Amino acid sequence: MTDAERDDAPVELDGSEGEGGGQILRSALSLSLITGRSFHLYRARANRQPSGLRPQHLACVRGAEALSGGRSEGAEVGASELRFEPGPVRPGDYVLEVGTAGSTPLLYQCLFYPLAVAGGGSLTLRGGTHLPHSPSYHYLAGVWQPMARAFGLHMTLRLVHAGFYPEGAGEFVAEVEPVREPPRRVELTARGTLRDIAVGSFVGGLPFGIAERQSNAAVAALRERGFYSHAANRPLPTTRSVGTVTFLLAQFEHTIAGFTALGRRGHPAEAVGREAAESLARFMESPGALDEHLGDQILLPAALLAAGRLGPAAPGTTRYLPERVTEHLTTHARLLERFLPVRVSVDADGTVEVAPRPPGGSTGGRLATDG
Ligand SMILES: Nc1ncnc2c1ncn2[C@@H]1O[C@H](COP(=O)(O)OP(=O)(O)OP(=O)(O)O)[C@@H](O)[C@H]1O
């Protein structure tokens, strides 16, 4: 056991560091459940307006308590300080609500790793499934899920109802398997040739013609840039909420990238389709193997692999080239190094390496963002 793991004192976390958003809390909860270490978060979400914890963050705290019988202090809306003490995670089936339009994919990413490491189970999550500034359900299923599989983390996902802002009221069900055969090394430093672009255009509770207009615009904007794509328009089941989404899934020889654009009132369907196409076009201009969001999200499984926390296999190393080194990425990296004996470093060309920390070694090297 290393120093980083032996320490019984709560991990002290300054929530205003770097990006200063909700991700610090969500990842701290995941890591606390996996390592058994408690934490004290202060200045929570100091860089956001309004600052402090929001209902969707509290839903993650409640979820972490439900999985482990752990305890928290200070978990209230608007709170800037929180203490969390985990219990042992119990494999099993859980039904959790994020409340009005909180993100179920973000809640899932928080609880999935502890549940998988503990032996698996199922999560039925209710709230928003397609919300701004978070992974959409389609991104989770199309991009994040295959990435997790590369680390020996398997799941089955099923969308029951889509939930859009502001009502939310969506639901998805995840069957989480125990970890199997983690790899020794994950190398995602080149995407290789482009194989396929699928345009998915969806409407929930709104006229189907909107889905056709979104996908026509996305296909045309891609064609103008020299990319050929194929489209499928689908209705999504909803309960109370209505909304639309365009999701582009780009398959490369070695990696997958995904781009979500959401409809909003007063925003033409064509603009939504073009927005998704432009995100993909920007990605194509970079040498990145992974889109910028996966670039911060992959750090958690990579760190678990490097710390030997994914089953009995020896610690492994992950190397990848994200579209951009974002502040989300660097903030997340520093957090992981607080809980686990790992080192995250970024090369001059932007390649990220997550490796076991050498005995007596310091934390990562250059970690400046490019933006
Ligand atoms: N379009 C997108 N596709 C996939 N993932 C996304 C997208 N937009 C944001 N994300 C991911 O969602 C997460 C959001 O983290 P952030 O710290 O901003 O959390 P938050 O709780 O939403 O923040 P806030 O503190 O603003 O409430 C990040 O992992 C980011 O990569």
Side-chain angles (χ1 to χ4, degrees), residues 347-368:
D347 288 0
D349 72 351
T351 301
V352 180
E353 182 179 272
V354 187
R357 191 184 305 159
S362 63
T363 52
R366 190 187 79 88
L367 262 184

Side-chain angles (χ1 to χ4, degrees), residues 57-74:
H57 306 111
L58 299 181
C60 295
V61 177
R62 300 294 172 231
E65 287 172 344
L67 258 63
S68 73
R71 284 180 304 138
S72 65
E73 243 181 77

Side-chain angles (χ1 to χ4, degrees), residues 19-26 45 47-50 52 54 56-57 103 106 109 131-136 139-140 247 258-261 291-297 326 328 332:
E19 174 65 21
Q23 191 185 42
I24 297 179
L25 171 64
R26 286 189 303 274
R45 290 186 69 257
N47 300 349
R48 296 287 198 265
Q49 260 326 317
R54 309 300 308 155
Q56 69 264 28
H57 306 111
S103 165
L106 288 179
Q109 289 180 334
L131 300 177
H133 313 300
S134 62
S136 63
Y139 183 89
L140 193 74
F247 176 66
F259 307 89
T260 306
D291 64 70
E292 65 169 284
H293 299 297
L294 205 61
D296 74 71
Q297 294 166 24
T326 61
H328 265 113
H332 203 184

Side-chain angles (χ1 to χ4, degrees), residues 83-115:
R83 291 175 189 278
F84 182 76
E85 200 178 316
V89 176
R90 298 172 292 230
D93 304 324
Y94 298 88
V95 181
L96 300 165
E97 305 262 349
V98 193
T100 320
S103 165
T104 49
L106 288 179
L107 174 61
Y108 182 62
Q109 289 180 334
C110 172
L111 301 178
F112 165 75
Y113 299 105
L115 193 58

